[in-house]
Amino acid sequence: MRIQRIESIPYAIPYNHPLRFASGEVHTADHVLIRVHTDEGVIGTADAPPRPYTYGETQKSIVAIVQDVFAPQLIGVDIMDRAKIRQVLDRTIHNQVAKGALDIAVWDAIGQALGTPAHKLLGGFTDSMRVSHMLGFKPARELLDEALRFGEQYGITTFKLKVGRRPLALDIEACRVLREGLGEDVELYLDANRGWSANESMEVLRQTEGLGLSLLEEPCDAKEAMSRRRLVERSPIPIVADESAPTAGDASRELLSGGANAICIKTARSGFTEATEILGLCTGLGVDVTMGNQIDTQVGSLATVTFGAAFEATSRRAGELSNFLDMADDLLAEPLQIVNGRISVRTVPGVGAAIDESKLARYRQDH
Ligand code: MUC
Ligand code: MG
């Protein structure tokens, strides 16, 4: 079964509430829907969320790299030949999100071709994940209200707080308010998106000691190699590499140079194939992983849970799977449901991201 055609459809869906964080903010999901068509009528689907402030990709650059560089080399390739597809993608540097979506769409097509759910093909460990909700920049009281509402409405008991603001007291206060308001049993961890220096991060850790924070993600730029290694050595909690570790090579560099001692895996920028390699690396080294959120739609979140539920190590912690709830709408025909704090994989062949065609017609931007 060969790849016959690849669609890259730009679309835009507004957010009800913007998500703000140290490296940027999102008001609209201006993403690209990737569809890999085969000569036997199977269509693999995935979502590509451009994050210019993280990887330098834009909606236009994703469409261009897919159509001008990847599609000409992938047309005619057998969808089962994943290593060949991987070699084509690897020949071009960067463009992580475009590559990730192509890879997931291929896995989706393979699952459909074999009549098997993708989470089973990947590993089949379990069929659902606990959900972690990501809280963007807001005044402390509003953060607590949001966390309490998500706890009550969806049964979510794990929260990732976006930090990295100055003065540091803003985020330290937010941590305190959340811990006092949510109680001891709720898991709370931080993501600074490189907003602080390594030394500022040390200061935050010192001032939040005793608040039971479980992880600190991308506290500073990984290029601050020496100070960051010092931070990792002295931190009482794991320092997670996120945007500094989109590939297995990057993850190795960060772990081996002491820039991190935990890794955030995101299918949106690593696909299933490279995410599997990153996971193998982490499992082999005895390093914790989290399943992260690239500010994903339901289509993207379904890919994350499909991968995360497939392995024991990725399903140990709650996955970041709920930020689609802030979007005004979505393309997924059958909406994702968070029940008792969990999201389930789909049991149909492939990933199961059937698209609502009338919504796609409404939100697509290429006509
Ligand atoms: C995260 O974990 O960093 C924010 C920017 C981005 O690229 O992903 C999000 C969430
Ligand atoms: Mg992050």
Side-chain angles (χ1 to χ4, degrees):
M1 190 181 294
R2 293 183 184 276
I3 297 173
Q4 189 178 53
R5 183 162 73 92
I6 299 178
E7 282 185 286
S8 46
I9 307 168
Y11 69 92
I13 299 178
Y15 269 74
N16 290 327
H17 318 279
L19 183 74
R20 298 196 167 88
F21 43 96
S23 53
E25 53 186 66
V26 170
H27 296 257
T28 305
D30 47 357
H31 296 191
V32 181
L33 188 75
I34 300 291
R35 283 172 151 172
V36 172
H37 295 253
T38 70
D39 56 1
E40 293 184 28
V42 167
I43 305 171
T45 303
D47 196 44
R51 296 287 163 253
Y53 29 79
T54 312
Y55 309 109
E57 292 170 277
T58 66
Q59 195 184 40
K60 282 188 180 148
S61 83
I62 289 175
V63 172
I65 198 85
V66 170
Q67 293 310 325
D68 298 346
V69 177
F70 295 137
Q73 298 180 77
L74 292 175
I75 286 165
V77 176
D78 191 315
I79 54 161
M80 298 299 173
D81 295 347
R82 287 187 294 111
K84 229 179 251 175
I85 295 170
R86 181 74 198 283
Q87 189 202 20
V88 167
L89 300 181
D90 271 358
R91 211 176 281 149
T92 300
I93 63 160
H94 303 314
N95 294 286
Q96 283 304 132
V97 171
K99 292 178 188 175
L102 283 168
D103 183 77
I104 293 168
V106 166
W107 273 92
D108 183 29
I110 291 173
Q112 291 178 56
L114 298 176
T116 309
H119 80 101
K120 294 254 182 214
L121 284 178
L122 285 161
F125 178 71
T126 184
D127 57 7
S128 70
M129 281 188 85
R130 271 192 308 122
V131 174
S132 164
H133 180 64
M134 194 157 69
L135 298 162
F137 289 173
K138 274 183 190 164
R141 184 66 232 178
E142 287 177 35
L143 287 169
L144 178 58
D145 289 346
E146 182 174 334
L148 289 170
R149 186 163 50 84
F150 273 75
E152 216 162 278
Q153 208 167 332
Y154 301 106
I156 293 175
T157 57
T158 303
F159 296 92
K160 168 159 112 172
L161 177 64
K162 287 297 197 184
V163 294
R165 293 180 290 179
R166 295 187 175 109
L168 307 182
L170 279 173
D171 291 330
I172 294 166
E173 173 63 8
C175 292
R176 200 163 286 139
V177 168
L178 282 170
R179 177 55 77 211
E180 277 165 17
L182 297 173
E184 295 297 308
D185 294 338
V186 161
E187 181 179 351
L188 202 53
Y189 60 106
L190 309 182
D191 182 1
N193 286 110
R194 298 160 282 143
W196 295 322
S197 68
N199 291 334
E200 284 173 317
S201 312
M202 277 297 291
E203 181 56 22
V204 172
L205 287 177
R206 194 181 67 75
Q207 290 196 42
T208 53
E209 221 184 328
L211 293 182
L213 303 174
S214 57
L215 304 164
L216 173 56
E217 184 171 313
E218 217 69 77
C220 58
D221 199 313
K223 290 188 188 114
E224 284 186 40
M226 199 170 154
S227 307
R228 181 142 156 171
R229 189 166 60 198
R230 181 168 164 269
L231 171 70
V232 171
E233 279 162 5
R234 296 184 182 193
S235 171
I237 56 176
I239 302 295
V240 185
D242 173 12
E243 51 265 48
S244 59
T247 68
D250 295 318
S252 315
R253 185 200 57 228
E254 287 311 306
L255 293 171
L256 294 176
S257 67
N261 50 7
I263 297 288
C264 171
I265 296 178
K266 288 182 176 172
T267 53
R269 54 121 192 268
S270 305
F272 291 165
T273 305
E274 188 133 36
T276 309
E277 287 172 19
I278 296 171
L279 176 62
L281 179 73
C282 293
T283 313
L285 291 170
V287 161
D288 274 15
V289 296
T290 61
M291 287 307 300
N293 187 315
Q294 200 65 78
I295 319 177
D296 290 303
T297 59
Q298 293 189 34
V299 177
S301 302
L302 181 57
T304 301
V305 71
T306 296
F307 184 88
F311 305 95
E312 191 273 334
T314 42
S315 49
R316 232 180 267 162
R317 289 180 178 276
E320 296 162 13
L321 295 164
S322 58
N323 286 82
F324 66 81
L325 291 166
D326 281 340
M327 290 176 62
D329 204 351
D330 206 278
L331 298 181
L332 201 61
E334 189 197 322
L336 283 186
Q337 306 285 352
I338 304 178
V339 181
N340 295 330
R342 304 188 77 88
I343 290 187
S344 295
V345 297
R346 301 258 149 112
T347 49
V348 297
V351 174
I355 297 300
D356 182 323
E357 295 298 330
S358 64
K359 287 187 179 178
L360 180 59
R362 191 178 331 148
Y363 296 118
R364 68 189 294 165
Q365 296 179 296
D366 56 352
H367 52 217

